[in-house]
Amino acid sequence: MYFKLFPIGIVCSPFKTRQEVPRQGEEILPPVKIEIFSKYLTGLRKLAEGQSIYVLTWLHLADRKILEVHPKGDRRLALHGVFATRSPDRPNPIGLHLVTLEQILEDGIIVHPLEAIDGTPVLDIKPYLSREGIY
Amino acid sequence: MYFKLFPIGIVCSPFKTRQEVPRQGEEILPPVKIEIFSKYLTGLRKLAEGQSIYVLTWLHLADRKILEVHPKGDRRLALHGVFATRSPDRPNPIGLHLVTLEQILEDGIIVHPLEAIDGTPVLDIKPYLSREGIY
């Protein structure tokens, strides 16, 4: 049994490989554009510039067979199950990014900070709910 | 182009239909079990009871053709694009749930509060990072 995902858009970023993306370096990440495919643009209605949103991406370069990793690739740290980490390598490599919606364009949005390489497929956008901050 | 998702587990809940699930009623939601399929149990290693986690689900009853909804089904409210809402009806119906990991079992986990009906497929589990609370 499986489910089919269809990308709704794509990340346009200056970073072309996983190695180029700064880790936990959100201050130095540039704002990036997410192009939303025309058939899905209606779905953006009522989003507002300045609000916090989740962007869900498909981490297309991930290794889906991996179930344990050393956090941050540091072999001095004990092996963790992938569900205890944010490793892109995991059975269903869905990326979860909490970002600020900086600008709404005719064909997409500008967000910050988004750690994702150029060409990363985008699956979904959801508003952040303030009650999520209480955890 | 599409991507294939394979469920890693399944929600075991007393609620059998969408109508039965209380909306924004987390105080009255019972803790629910997520059964994790045996081949993925290794991925739970190093998760700790009491920590906050995201659970990603597949909202299998969603209507994927819908791009605009009245928030909370209230027709007095203006139409919103689905990406500006948490409606389950959306092109890629991935549910995002921030919950507390209450207990780790031999074949899964107990979490709270999880608004999802019995039999909902589970796609991924991720730790919540405290810096996400700053948004």
Side-chain angles (χ1 to χ4, degrees):
Chain A
M1 180 181 57
Y2 64 85
F3 312 117
K4 286 185 183 178
L5 291 172
F6 300 92
I8 62 160
I10 198 160
V11 174
C12 310
S13 157
F15 304 114
K16 307 297 180 196
T17 67
R18 270 168 73 160
Q19 288 69 35
E20 287 177 53
V21 181
R23 282 185 178 239
Q24 272 109 43
E26 57 187 65
E27 306 79 9
I28 56 173
L29 283 169
V32 301
K33 176 176 170 179
I34 297 175
E35 182 191 332
I36 301 293
F37 302 145
S38 55
K39 64 184 279 199
Y40 298 111
L41 283 168
T42 309
L44 298 178
R45 185 173 170 177
K46 293 284 180 186
L47 278 172
E49 293 177 354
Q51 83 175 96
S52 295
I53 56 172
Y54 290 109
V55 173
L56 277 66
T57 59
W58 183 252
L59 304 168
H60 56 303
L61 302 183
D63 183 338
R64 304 181 67 174
K65 296 204 181 75
I66 288 181
L67 284 175
E68 289 183 297
V69 295
H70 295 285
K72 299 169 192 166
D74 185 341
R75 296 191 157 272
R76 292 167 301 183
L77 300 174
L79 274 175
H80 283 53
V82 290
F83 303 133
T85 79
R86 287 298 191 92
S87 168
D89 299 320
R90 52 206 312 118
N92 292 304
I94 300 169
L96 177 65
H97 316 264
L98 183 55
V99 299
T100 300
L101 171 52
E102 296 208 333
Q103 204 180 337
I104 299 175
L105 310 172
E106 274 191 10
D107 63 343
I109 56 177
I110 305 280
V111 301
H112 181 264
L114 184 67
E115 261 182 62
I117 67 169
D118 191 53
T120 299
V122 173
L123 304 174
D124 198 10
I125 294 166
K126 297 179 189 295
Y128 172 77
L129 306 176
S130 62
R131 67 188 163 95
E132 289 170 323
I134 65 174
Y135 286 85
Chain B
M1 181 180 57
Y2 63 85
F3 312 116
K4 286 185 183 178
L5 291 172
F6 299 92
I8 62 160
I10 198 160
V11 173
C12 310
S13 156
F15 305 114
K16 307 295 181 198
T17 68
R18 270 167 74 160
Q19 288 69 36
E20 286 176 55
V21 181
R23 282 184 178 237
Q24 273 108 42
E26 57 186 64
E27 305 79 11
I28 57 174
L29 283 169
V32 303
K33 176 176 172 179
I34 296 175
E35 183 193 328
I36 301 293
F37 303 144
S38 56
K39 65 185 280 199
Y40 297 112
L41 283 168
T42 309
L44 297 179
R45 183 171 170 179
K46 293 284 181 186
L47 279 172
E49 293 177 356
Q51 83 175 95
S52 295
I53 56 173
Y54 290 108
V55 173
L56 277 66
T57 59
W58 184 251
L59 303 168
H60 57 303
L61 302 183
D63 183 338
R64 303 181 67 173
K65 296 205 179 75
I66 287 180
L67 283 175
E68 290 183 296
V69 294
H70 296 283
K72 299 170 193 167
D74 184 341
R75 297 190 156 272
R76 292 167 301 182
L77 300 175
L79 274 174
H80 283 53
V82 290
F83 304 133
T85 79
R86 288 297 192 93
S87 168
D89 299 320
R90 54 205 312 119
N92 292 304
I94 299 170
L96 178 64
H97 316 264
L98 183 55
V99 299
T100 300
L101 171 52
E102 296 208 332
Q103 204 179 337
I104 299 174
L105 310 172
E106 274 190 11
D107 63 343
I109 56 178
I110 305 281
V111 301
H112 181 264
L114 184 67
E115 261 182 62
I117 67 170
D118 192 51
T120 299
V122 173
L123 304 173
D124 199 10
I125 293 167
K126 298 180 189 293
Y128 172 77
L129 305 176
S130 61
R131 68 188 162 97
E132 289 170 322
I134 66 174
Y135 286 86

